[in-house]
Amino acid sequence: MRQQKQSPLKQIIVTSIALWLYLTLEPTTEELYWLKQFCLLIVLIGGLKATLISLDFTRNILLRWYALKPSDKYGSARWATDKDHKLYGQFKTNGLLLGVSANSGRPLFFNGETHGLTLSPAGGGKTVNFFIPALLHLGDMPMIVPDLKGTLACITKRTREKRHKNKIYCVNPARLYEKKLGKPARYNPLQILMDSWQSGNMEDLITDAQAIALQLLSEPPQSGENTFFRNGGRMIMVFCMLYLVTRESDKTPTLSDVLKMLRNEALLKEALHVASCSDVIKGDLADIANDLLAKVEQNDTRQWESFREGAVQSLSAFSASGWLSESTSACDFRFFDLKNKKATVYLIADPTRMKVYAPWLGLLGWCALTELTRCQSKKQVLFLFDEAANFKIEGLTGKLTELRGYGCRVWFALQSLDAFAKVYGKDDLQTMLEQCECQQFFGIQSYKTAELISKTLGNTTVKADNFNLGHVVVDPVLFSVGEHARPLLTPDEVRRFRDCIILLRGQPPIHALKVGYHEVRPWSRWADVDPMYGRKFKGKARVVLRY
């Protein structure tokens, strides 16, 4: 049987009456004296009970406060506050614009010295919200920008050239928007080999020739059984490059010259016989030539033809009648110049012929990294790799760790992580994610990617209300509070998230609002017309910067 608790109100009334009697009674008789003492006893007992009730009430208040206060027992994930932004220097304007704080609307910048990633599907705003702002804002930082459509150069070239005093090189084989961008610059990748030959650096000469061949005829993520034939094709390419570079000539050979030799089998065989007796490169050229001659002189020539055909196909884009031939015929600049002066290099491709231009973009990217890492200067150079999954730089992810020491920063822009894994491989994707200190996500639609982001954001501890309804409708409803873990954002919430999620190493995740260059003054005035739309983007100013 449930024990009835005495009402606190009754206790107060009885104690008050006993106190009143104790104070008013005059003990004229012995009976009144004991009555007064009895009233005192009731007052003391009532006071003691009141004290116990007060202590119990205080305990309940403290327990309720503790029960309702969130803990970090099951996770401590939270969104960054403006106090965090100020602590980590994200309100300072000497970096890349990431967006504006969802708390205060103040612009957020990233000024780290490592690599970064912007992930957003097509049309998600990577160009408007990140790449164009970076080009308009960071005028003192040299940049190399693969520009797959030519629009980045059209919008930002004038500002970087006139206002930021950058030397501009538009490597534009297809001559897109030539009237606006000017005469295209040229770059010959074999100049790197010629540098090594003329300086007597035979170690780099062999290694770089092999690297160029691997860049042009690379191994797919799943190489399979055709590796033997690809190795053979690369061996022929290495021989042709070394043979042409080491000839006594003041003219630097080109990839078109290499292709011409590969297509002319008689000329190629003659070169093999000549090189087989040569002592250049400490006899390595003769060794390669003799190895290839042994394959040529076999009764079954199918192996030799497979090697040669693979090499020809890899270099076919550099045919003398193609766009890339003129663009790679000479060097109007060197990438290491970016370490000594303010300069911007736009590598402009033709979006309608990406299968042709992708190997060229990857090769020039490799050349840029090779030249810059061999400089002694540690001046910062930023690679803005827009649509980074559309071309491949062999060994890029493996170099990310060492690039920081050479002052080279790489910023990737991707439409999906699976596209990057398809080009580079799953292991390289994981390496890239680990090396990117700043990761920016918006417009995510892939559930797989949303699930990855949700796990990366972590769990937070939340309070859960529990109700005990009893057995029948007239039973009292009992209420209790408990704790459990909950993702900061579930995968579905990530997919429906309209704003920007930013992850910075060692910091709480950032909830930011996207802001385009057309919403920032004075960038909205500095930017030129987007040739794809034939007009400037317009928007209400949300951020005002002073220069």
Side-chain angles (χ1 to χ4, degrees):
M1 185 174 180
R2 185 181 297 177
Q3 184 177 0
Q4 296 284 339
K5 287 188 176 181
Q6 186 176 3
S7 170
L9 180 61
K10 291 182 180 180
Q11 186 69 38
I12 293 173
I13 293 173
V14 171
T15 304
S16 300
I17 293 174
L19 179 61
W20 178 78
L21 289 173
Y22 175 77
L23 295 175
T24 57
L25 282 176
E26 293 292 338
T28 55
T29 64
E30 185 177 355
E31 290 79 0
L32 291 177
Y33 172 79
W34 288 111
L35 178 60
K36 187 172 183 177
Q37 298 303 316
F38 178 72
C39 290
L40 177 61
L41 179 62
I42 293 175
V43 169
L44 293 176
I45 294 174
L48 178 61
K49 286 187 175 182
T51 302
L52 294 175
I53 291 174
S54 298
L55 293 174
D56 188 54
F57 179 76
T58 303
R59 175 178 176 274
N60 287 339
I61 291 294
L62 293 175
L63 288 175
R64 183 176 293 273
W65 173 81
Y66 178 77
L68 294 176
K69 180 184 177 182
S71 68
D72 57 0
K73 182 178 180 181
Y74 297 100
S76 59
R78 64 176 179 85
W79 293 110
T81 64
D82 279 358
K83 184 177 180 180
D84 295 315
H85 301 327
K86 185 176 181 180
L87 176 64
Y88 294 112
Q90 289 151 7
F91 289 141
K92 297 179 180 179
T93 60
N94 57 341
L96 295 160
L97 179 68
L98 301 178
V100 297
S101 170
N103 303 315
S104 62
R106 296 178 63 183
L108 301 173
F109 294 85
F110 172 72
N111 194 33
E113 296 182 354
T114 52
H115 317 296
L117 165 68
T118 296
L119 180 65
S120 176
K126 298 184 294 296
T127 301
V128 172
N129 296 286
F130 182 79
F131 279 88
I132 295 178
L135 287 162
L136 293 174
H137 182 51
L138 294 180
D140 291 333
M141 179 171 289
M143 294 188 188
I144 299 173
V145 188
D147 188 359
L148 274 60
K149 301 175 184 176
T151 55
L152 294 176
C154 290
I155 295 172
T156 63
K157 175 181 179 291
R158 179 179 60 85
T159 296
R160 292 193 68 81
E161 184 175 29
K162 302 298 184 183
R163 183 171 294 276
H164 297 313
K165 308 303 180 183
N166 274 224
K167 180 66 176 178
I168 305 297
Y169 301 100
C170 292
V171 188
N172 187 8
R175 300 183 181 276
L176 298 178
Y177 314 112
E178 186 175 5
K179 291 183 179 180
K180 185 176 183 64
L181 300 179
K183 182 180 178 181
R186 300 170 298 173
Y187 183 86
N188 182 3
L190 297 191
Q191 184 62 51
I192 293 179
L193 302 184
M194 185 59 77
D195 292 344
S196 298
W197 170 247
Q198 292 175 345
S199 64
N201 187 353
M202 299 299 105
E203 293 81 3
D204 279 345
L205 177 60
I206 294 287
T207 303
D208 290 343
Q210 293 171 341
I212 291 175
L214 181 60
Q215 181 66 51
L216 293 171
L217 183 54
S218 61
E219 288 291 323
Q222 302 296 330
S223 58
E225 60 183 9
N226 291 325
T227 301
F228 173 76
F229 295 99
R230 285 190 287 269
N231 286 335
R234 287 191 285 266
M235 184 187 299
I236 298 179
M237 293 168 61
V238 168
F239 167 77
C240 291
M241 286 186 285
L242 294 178
Y243 177 79
L244 292 173
V245 166
T246 56
R247 288 193 308 176
E248 296 297 329
S249 174
D250 295 332
K251 178 182 178 296
T252 301
T254 66
L255 292 173
S256 297
D257 295 331
V258 175
L259 177 60
K260 183 177 180 180
M261 175 177 285
L262 287 169
R263 283 175 171 172
N264 190 331
E265 187 172 9
L267 181 62
L268 176 58
K269 289 182 179 179
E270 180 183 351
L272 289 171
H273 285 289
V274 171
S276 65
C277 303
S278 173
D279 60 352
V280 298
I281 322 179
K282 299 180 180 180
D284 281 342
L285 184 62
D287 292 341
I288 298 174
N290 286 319
D291 188 10
L292 291 174
L293 282 173
K295 294 177 173 58
V296 172
E297 294 170 356
Q298 290 179 352
N299 293 329
D300 186 0
T301 61
R302 288 179 298 178
Q303 184 183 102
W304 163 256
E305 287 300 323
S306 296
F307 290 169
R308 191 171 69 88
E309 184 61 28
V312 169
Q313 290 181 8
S314 299
L315 286 165
S316 59
F318 301 93
S319 176
S321 61
W323 289 108
L324 294 178
S325 177
E326 173 62 22
S327 183
T328 57
S329 61
C331 281
D332 295 327
F333 69 96
R334 299 301 299 272
F335 287 108
F336 55 67
D337 293 338
L338 276 69
K339 288 286 190 176
N340 304 317
K341 61 183 179 181
K342 294 196 296 184
T344 304
V345 178
Y346 295 95
L347 306 178
I348 302 173
D350 185 345
T352 64
R353 300 180 179 88
M354 278 309 300
K355 287 187 177 180
V356 174
Y357 284 85
W360 170 76
L361 280 173
L363 179 57
L364 262 64
W366 175 87
C367 292
L369 292 174
T370 300
E371 287 195 23
L372 292 171
T373 53
R374 289 177 181 174
C375 292
Q376 297 299 319
S377 171
K378 293 188 177 181
K379 181 181 178 181
Q380 291 285 317
V381 176
L382 178 62
F383 290 78
L384 289 180
F385 283 170
D386 192 10
E387 305 296 350
N390 284 346
F391 57 93
K392 181 180 181 180
I393 300 177
E394 194 66 35
L396 172 62
T397 55
K399 296 179 180 178
L400 290 177
T401 302
E402 64 185 69
L403 286 177
R404 178 182 179 181
Y406 293 106
C408 298
R409 297 167 57 189
V410 179
W411 199 284
F412 299 91
L414 299 172
Q415 293 186 13
S416 73
L417 296 178
D418 288 339
F420 188 88
K422 184 177 180 180
V423 174
Y424 285 87
K426 293 183 178 180
D427 292 340
D428 284 359
L429 170 62
Q430 187 62 36
T431 301
M432 184 270 290
L433 292 175
E434 290 174 354
Q435 293 298 324
C436 288
E437 179 181 352
C438 179
Q439 300 178 16
Q440 185 182 34
F441 309 97
F442 44 83
I444 301 301
Q445 292 300 311
S446 167
Y447 181 82
K448 182 179 178 181
T449 304
E451 188 175 36
L452 174 63
I453 295 172
S454 176
K455 291 179 179 179
T456 306
L457 291 174
N459 291 333
T460 185
T461 303
V462 297
K463 296 296 181 178
D465 298 337
N466 300 309
F467 296 90
N468 186 350
L469 303 180
H471 297 287
V472 295
V473 70
V474 296
D475 285 345
V477 177
L478 302 179
F479 170 79
S480 64
V481 177
E483 286 185 340
H484 68 89
R486 184 195 186 281
L488 191 61
L489 286 179
T490 65
D492 182 63
E493 289 171 338
V494 172
R495 187 184 59 82
R496 293 185 286 112
F497 203 73
R498 293 181 176 272
D499 302 326
C500 181
I501 301 171
I502 301 171
L503 302 178
L504 293 172
R505 186 173 299 163
Q507 302 180 29
I510 298 173
H511 175 190
L513 307 179
K514 294 186 291 183
V515 58
Y517 71 93
H518 56 291
E519 298 173 305
V520 180
R521 292 180 182 174
W523 299 348
S524 56
R525 299 194 307 269
W526 291 358
D528 287 338
V529 173
D530 187 338
M532 297 292 291
Y533 297 94
R535 57 180 175 83
K536 281 190 175 184
F537 284 3
K538 295 182 179 180
K540 183 179 179 181
R542 297 169 57 190
V543 176
V544 178
L545 299 176
R546 301 188 184 280
Y547 290 83

